[in-house]
Amino acid sequence: MVDRRGLLGASAALAVGGPWLAGCAPSSGGGGTEQQQENAAVTLPTYTKYEGVTPDFVGTDIVLDGFKAYPAEPVKAIEEPPGDGKVITLMTHTPGALPPGKEQNAFWQELDTRLGSPLDISLAPNDQYTAKFQARVASGDLPDVINIPNSTARLPDLLEATCLDLTEHLAGDAVADYPFLANLGPEYWKGCVAKGRIYTLPVPRLMSRTSGPLYRADLLAEKGINDPEPKDFEEFLALCQEVNDPKSNRWAWSRMPNSYVYQMLGIPNGWQEEGGAFTYWMEDERVAQGLEAQVKLLKAGVLNPDAFTAKSSTRKQWFGGGTVIFDYDSYVAWNQYYSENTAGEEFAVGMLDVAPFASGAEPVNWLGSALDSITGFNKDSEHSVETLLKVANWMAAGFGTQEYLFRKYGTEGANYELAGTDPTPTREGVIEVGLGIQYFTDAPMSLYYPGKPEVPETQHAIMTKQAEKLSRDASYGLYSETKVTSSSGPSGALNDTVNQIVQGKQPVSDYAPALKTWQQETGDAMRAEYEEAFAASEAGG
């Protein structure tokens, strides 16, 4: 009989980089040829889009659906509570302040009723969750449902040792028993396969995390700029200079728009594969041209003076307060700006489409990461896998359903009030609802903002344009142990050199030797692991 505590202890060592890791063969990390062939042979869950709610702006498995308002009569999509009456334990995290405990939290109490099982949640703030996760794995004391960071070292081994195998319940048409899990497209599920099995559920992001230059449309309109789309980099630079006004404590940019410049040049996203050979985006010969363009922006003085040191929260405050016109961020941030708006009714946000750098260039949009994280079910759970999947299906019920409305907003009259058909959170709603259950699993994000139908319409139009020229990271779904265990991350010291260059502290010529050092110390090892994994996946497929 396998000693589960000993097995979990070993898994913990690999999660936190302990001595067990150093003595292990590289192939056991999930990147070996045999394992990649097994992964490629897995049939992903069959995608079946949920048709129970009709969107105002129809999406695809990539482009998100958009809604002008919450439906007046939300669909009750799941008739019976999915739980089995017994306590379900969950380890998760929250981006906001920790909510009150269950005894003081009416939303949590109602959640238990609707699930049909009490939910015992071990919760941590986002920035503390990885450390808490590692400690729990090391202790061997794991809950029924475990939210797992993507950056976990030796992840395939950990999943095999710890999590229930969900393959026979989800692969192919089997997922039809859980229609809201079937509503998650194949891009999400690619990151849930390890050791030739489906071990986890996705916490979906993808197009909601695709980013671009967000701008204060209301402030541009004050200057008579209602269609700010530049045709090339020079027009983009001129636009930045036109709206820049340091004397009035206003700058064009909150940060250096480096990703946007690289996309204007057509530099592809992440790792790219051609003929089985992998190349990282920072190895593209056009990167030097992108660095020179950023130096131009620096010298033009269009960045807030603290752009290179400010935290994300500070940059958001600048944008909301009108200290900057542009901020590079995602659709999630777009909505966040509206929710935190203090500028009044005229406040409006737009996003630039990516322009070609110059005549003849073919720009790309970098597709956002498919997953925020993944969630597994503890092998030792006393609940049946069917019960846990039913609860997950409830957690993934889509926009326009009663289940979604409750998960996101709580109970009418207590946690939100209706403005027309749109829910408006009350003070209690803001305080109580942030239980982190969206990291159990979730529906794909829908484009929607209460009371502002023009927001999803604008977002859907931009997203549709972006989808026409998406660049995907070819390493997604493949495993590189070097990536997750290297102290310098995917590009480490190379990024430090880039930051020095675009701050005018080093010449662009320093980039090439820094790139070579990265290749020798980290990049070539990652490349070899991805190439091996890709070759195996092709053979397995």
Side-chain angles (χ1 to χ4, degrees), residues 481-496:
E481 182 66 15
T482 301
K483 177 182 178 181
V484 295
T485 59
S486 170
S487 60
S488 62
S491 48
L494 181 56
N495 273 337
D496 295 338

Side-chain angles (χ1 to χ4, degrees), residues 45 99 132 145 187 253 268 270 281 308 357 394 398 418 439 444 456 480 518:
K132 180 173 182 175
V145 183
E187 288 284 341
W253 275 93
W281 75 268
F308 294 101
F357 188 84
W394 187 91
L418 286 178
Y439 302 112
S480 165
W518 171 78

Side-chain angles (χ1 to χ4, degrees), residues 125-278:
N126 278 1
D127 59 359
Q128 299 176 25
Y129 185 69
T130 297
K132 180 173 182 175
F133 168 80
Q134 292 174 344
R136 289 289 296 270
V137 173
S139 72
D141 178 24
L142 291 172
D144 297 308
V145 183
I146 315 155
N147 180 259
I148 303 169
N150 291 325
S151 58
T152 302
R154 304 300 299 277
L155 181 60
D157 286 339
L158 181 63
L159 298 180
E160 182 181 48
T162 304
C163 296
L164 284 168
D165 182 353
L166 306 177
T167 311
E168 67 177 89
H169 303 277
L170 296 177
D173 293 340
V175 76
D177 290 339
Y178 312 99
F180 289 108
L181 298 181
N183 187 48
L184 300 174
E187 288 284 341
Y188 301 121
W189 290 104
K190 288 179 184 178
C192 297
V193 176
K195 300 276 189 172
R197 313 300 292 172
I198 300 173
Y199 280 112
T200 58
L201 305 175
V203 179
R205 291 298 182 265
L206 209 63
M207 281 302 281
S208 64
R209 282 281 175 86
T210 299
S211 298
L214 296 174
Y215 61 84
R216 285 287 301 271
D218 55 320
L219 298 182
L220 290 183
E222 288 178 5
K223 288 182 167 289
I225 304 172
N226 296 303
D227 185 14
E229 297 290 345
K231 70 177 183 181
D232 55 27
F233 177 78
E234 292 305 321
E235 279 200 4
F236 171 67
L237 175 58
L239 172 63
C240 295
Q241 291 173 313
E242 182 179 358
V243 302
N244 204 54
D245 189 6
K247 292 181 180 179
S248 301
N249 193 37
R250 178 172 291 169
W251 286 265
W253 275 93
S254 67
R255 57 183 292 185
M256 180 64 78
N258 43 25
S259 297
Y260 184 66
V261 172
Y262 298 135
Q263 291 170 73
M264 294 176 84
L265 285 159
I267 297 173
N269 182 14
W271 288 89
Q272 297 298 300
E273 177 274 327
E274 185 174 356
F278 273 63

